[in-house]
């Protein structure tokens, strides 16, 4: 059974710092990996998708890496801003029975202090 | 502006009542997921459909939950009878099959069973 773990569970840093969120998964047979952001009381917003054949993806101040063989992904946020405060979730997309199935970690609650 | 639409956004009901939640996936997406989010369990996959056919509903309590896709533009999740432990936020997501496609989530239905 695929398990996804995110460390740390919560992180608080001052504005302007660069930071890294970690995601690990137990089964490397994944289709792709997706990072999401969730604001309190809101839905999930997709940030980045990394295909299983890729090593990293970048979008603005965000960079996500994937090391499938070791079962790890990181989300790097550069020059953090208070607006980045949210819960960040990673999800692995399992290829099972010919279809896709997202399994989520518990998330990292990020607070950026002005 | 393509988005997944869920209705209702909020629902308060009494224990024992039937609850129906609806989801309109993004046009052209052939995979639809239902997730439940609670503080304790995080995001749990309840069921998912591909091309309107149910592929996996192993995460769903079979005795009271049912999920259907009567057509390509509508997915429903029904709880009958509802119980207080069903209180959670229910999310619908849709995607196109393929390693390079992202899953997009609706805003969720916040269900409270009293």
């Amino acid at each position: 059974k695929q398990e996804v773990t995110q460390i740390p569970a919560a992180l608080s840093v001052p504005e302007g710092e660069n930071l890294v969120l970690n995601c690990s998964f137990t089964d490397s047979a994944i289709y792709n990996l997706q990072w999401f952001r969730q604001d309190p009381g809101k839905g999930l917003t997709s940030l980045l998708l990394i295909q299983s054949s890729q090593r990293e993806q970048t979008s603005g101040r965000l960079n996500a890496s994937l090391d499938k063989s070791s079962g790890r992904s990181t989300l790097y946020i550069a020059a953090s801003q208070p607006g980045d405060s949210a819960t960040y979730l990673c999800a692995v997309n399992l290829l099972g029975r010919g279809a896709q199935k997202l399994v989520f970690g518990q998330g990292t609650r990020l607070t950026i202090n002005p | 502006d393509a988005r997944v639409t869920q209705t209702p956004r909020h629902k308060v009901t009494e224990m024992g009542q039937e609850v129906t939640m609806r989801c309109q996936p993004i046009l052209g997406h052939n995979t639809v997921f239902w997730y439940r989010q609670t503080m304790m369990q995080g995001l749990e996959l309840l069921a998912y459909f591909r091309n309107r056919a149910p592929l996996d509903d192993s995460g769903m309590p079979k005795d009271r939950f049912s999920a259907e896709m009567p057509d390509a533009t509508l997915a429903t999740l029904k709880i009958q009878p509802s119980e207080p432990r069903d209180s959670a936020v229910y999310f619908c997501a849709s995607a196109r099959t393929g390693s390079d496609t992202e899953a997009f989530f609706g805003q969720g239905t916040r269900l409270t069973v009293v």
Side-chain angles (χ1 to χ4, degrees):
Chain A
K1 180 186 172 185
Q2 177 74 267
E3 292 184 1
V4 181
T5 304
Q6 291 188 246
I7 294 173
L11 181 64
S12 180
V13 300
E15 180 178 3
E17 281 201 5
N18 304 323
L19 57 99
V20 175
L21 308 181
N22 296 291
C23 172
S24 61
F25 46 96
T26 54
D27 186 345
S28 62
I30 65 170
Y31 212 26
N32 56 46
L33 184 146
Q34 202 165 343
W35 281 92
F36 294 87
R37 167 188 173 136
Q38 185 175 29
D39 293 283
K42 304 290 186 182
L44 281 71
T45 300
S46 178
L47 297 173
L48 287 163
L49 173 87
I50 309 179
Q51 298 177 47
S52 62
S53 58
Q54 295 178 320
R55 297 284 292 182
E56 65 178 282
Q57 277 285 357
T58 298
S59 176
R61 294 182 295 108
L62 305 179
N63 176 275
S65 69
L66 174 64
D67 184 343
K68 206 173 69 161
S69 61
S70 66
R72 290 187 294 184
S73 176
T74 61
L75 180 67
Y76 174 83
I77 303 177
S80 58
Q81 303 171 359
D84 296 330
S85 297
T87 295
Y88 290 80
L89 296 139
C90 73
V92 295
N93 194 342
L94 306 180
L95 184 57
R97 290 196 287 164
Q100 299 163 259
K101 180 173 174 176
L102 285 174
V103 177
F104 281 84
Q106 291 283 67
T108 294
R109 190 172 64 253
L110 176 65
T111 304
I112 307 298
N113 302 303
Chain B
D1 182 24
R3 67 179 77 180
V4 177
T5 303
Q6 289 187 249
T7 57
R9 291 291 311 279
H10 302 272
K11 176 72 176 179
V12 180
T13 192
E14 291 185 349
M15 182 174 63
Q17 295 298 305
E18 177 179 298
V19 175
T20 299
M21 290 168 272
R22 293 177 173 80
C23 169
Q24 181 176 8
I26 293 173
L27 190 64
H29 283 190
N30 64 342
T31 306
V32 174
F33 307 85
W34 282 106
Y35 284 87
R36 175 171 62 186
Q37 187 177 40
T38 60
M39 287 293 292
M40 293 300 295
Q41 301 295 329
L43 274 158
E44 302 173 279
L45 179 65
L46 297 175
Y48 71 106
F49 294 77
R50 184 183 186 194
N51 297 326
R52 295 176 55 201
L55 281 188
D56 187 345
D57 59 2
S58 59
M60 210 162 61
K62 299 292 191 304
D63 56 337
R64 298 183 299 107
F65 284 60
S66 62
E68 295 179 346
M69 272 201 82
D71 62 61
T73 65
L74 177 64
T76 63
L77 180 66
K78 193 172 294 187
I79 308 174
Q80 168 63 21
S82 56
E83 297 181 2
R85 60 180 167 149
D86 300 329
S87 298
V89 182
Y90 292 80
F91 287 104
C92 172
S94 72
R96 282 185 294 110
T97 304
S99 65
D100 60 342
T101 61
E102 298 171 70
F104 292 89
F105 279 69
Q107 290 296 297
T109 294
R110 182 174 296 276
L111 175 65
T112 304
V113 183
V114 298

